[in-house]
Amino acid sequence: MNTKYIDLIEQTYFFPQEEFTLDGEHLKFHDIPLQDLVEKYGSPLKFTYLPKISDNIQRAKNWFGNAIEKTNYKGKYQYCYCTKSSHFQHVMHEALKNDIHIETSSAFDINIVEQLKAEGKLKNDAFVICNGFKREQYVTNIARLINNGHRNCIPIIDNYEEIDLLSEVIDDTFKVGIRIASEEEPKFEFYTSRLGIGYKNIIPFYKNQIKDNNKVELKMLHFFINTGIRDNAYYWNELVKCLKVYIRLKQICPSLDSLNIGGGFPIKNSLAFEYDYQYIIDEIVNQINITCAEADVPVPHIFTEFGSFTVGESGGAIYEILYQKQQNDREKWNMVDSSFITTLPDT
Ligand SMILES: Cc1ncc(COP(=O)(O)O)c(C=O)c1O
């Protein structure tokens, strides 16, 4: 009878795979013998295989590059790393080797940005996209970054009061983006995302608070779908709705030139994972191209903020099975020496 774990793997998946191979009975991850790691460091153990971070960033840049070439797209692609996925220094340093930009979501992210700049790891002209609900400390820190000369820091307005709060503490003119509050998937229990400004309110908000405000220049429209970038009617529908807002805004706001489609790339969290990244990106770029051409509006530069995609496939956690608990006559539960939830690769 086949009762071993390897039997289950071999019957269920194609194995070995690109990242997982076997050396005799022992598992290797990107050619690193995991048994050696355990013998050296014990368990529980959380590790990061740094080359995978650069590899994924380069893969995304290539896919967008290909799509831009195929569709003769006139805008640029900018890869931002969503820092909240992992703030570890070794992760940030590796990601920043790839000429990327940063997306922040809280006050202390700005301290990290300042430190990275001081160390020469983040360029002075890198984009720093500040998302999230902005409490006092976050506003203060964003203002300090901009007042110290980081002109490519773009706070994304999440809430009506933020323009005034930022204007009070930023000395000079500054760039902003607006986040669209996407509508949730129909089967979800809530209707609209808690973040951003509803579709219908974007144009009135621009007219009332930005258009005649000499201090503020609108550069970016931001759109993020909680459920991620997926090939389904909901995603394409939300993208088209967002593009319609982009076009209407662009027609009255010449400084607007960027569309940020957020994060949300799925990652390989199962050996059966299949996802055609190039196809999805081709479709997104093509859709933006067509919609803008129909409206006779120049295409935007495209920004993404991939978090999980940047780090999630680079990390692993090793646990020891301490005990097998027989809970009924058929099921045994493995009791491990840590907690899955606190050691996820992108926490
Ligand atoms: C504004 C924004 N950008 C990017 C991300 C990163 O998403 P992901 O890890 O799915 O790429 C998130 C995640 O919640 C987010 O809220």
Side-chain angles (χ1 to χ4, degrees), residues 1-17:
M1 200 162 94
N2 293 334
T3 53
K4 293 174 89 180
Y5 193 61
I6 184 68
D7 301 321
L8 174 73
I9 298 282
E10 282 173 346
Q11 284 163 14
T12 321
Y13 309 105
F14 293 109
F15 193 84
Q17 298 207 353

Side-chain angles (χ1 to χ4, degrees), residues 17-35:
Q17 298 207 353
E18 194 189 329
E19 50 287 270
F20 288 110
T21 49
L22 279 183
D23 180 11
E25 287 206 304
H26 294 304
L27 192 60
K28 292 207 289 185
F29 179 63
H30 292 289
D31 247 9
I32 294 172
L34 296 181
Q35 184 66 22

Side-chain angles (χ1 to χ4, degrees), residues 54-115:
S54 290
D55 183 39
N56 269 9
I57 297 174
Q58 291 304 328
R59 287 203 300 156
K61 285 188 168 195
N62 279 334
W63 293 320
F64 275 94
N66 293 340
I68 282 175
E69 208 179 299
K70 273 188 241 171
T71 50
N72 195 20
Y73 192 84
K74 296 286 182 252
K76 286 195 185 134
Y77 169 62
Q78 308 284 14
Y79 190 108
C80 307
Y81 170 52
C82 158
T83 54
K84 67 171 168 255
S85 288
S86 172
H87 293 99
F88 282 121
Q89 191 187 57
H90 53 275
V91 167
M92 302 280 308
H93 284 183
E94 180 68 28
L96 286 166
K97 286 180 190 165
N98 297 279
D99 192 20
I100 57 163
H101 309 273
I102 293 289
E103 185 247 359
T104 67
S105 31
S106 68
F108 69 86
D109 279 341
I110 304 294
N111 299 114
I112 293 175
V113 165
E114 288 170 329
Q115 177 66 26

Side-chain angles (χ1 to χ4, degrees), residues 82 84-85 103-105 131-132 179 195 222 224-226 228 260 262-266 304-310 346:
C82 158
K84 67 171 168 255
S85 288
E103 185 247 359
T104 67
S105 31
N131 263 306
R179 177 162 181 166
L195 299 158
H222 185 287
F224 176 64
I225 296 288
N226 271 335
N260 187 332
F265 253 177
T304 59
E305 304 161 343
F306 297 132
S308 306
F309 178 78
T310 312
D346 65 345

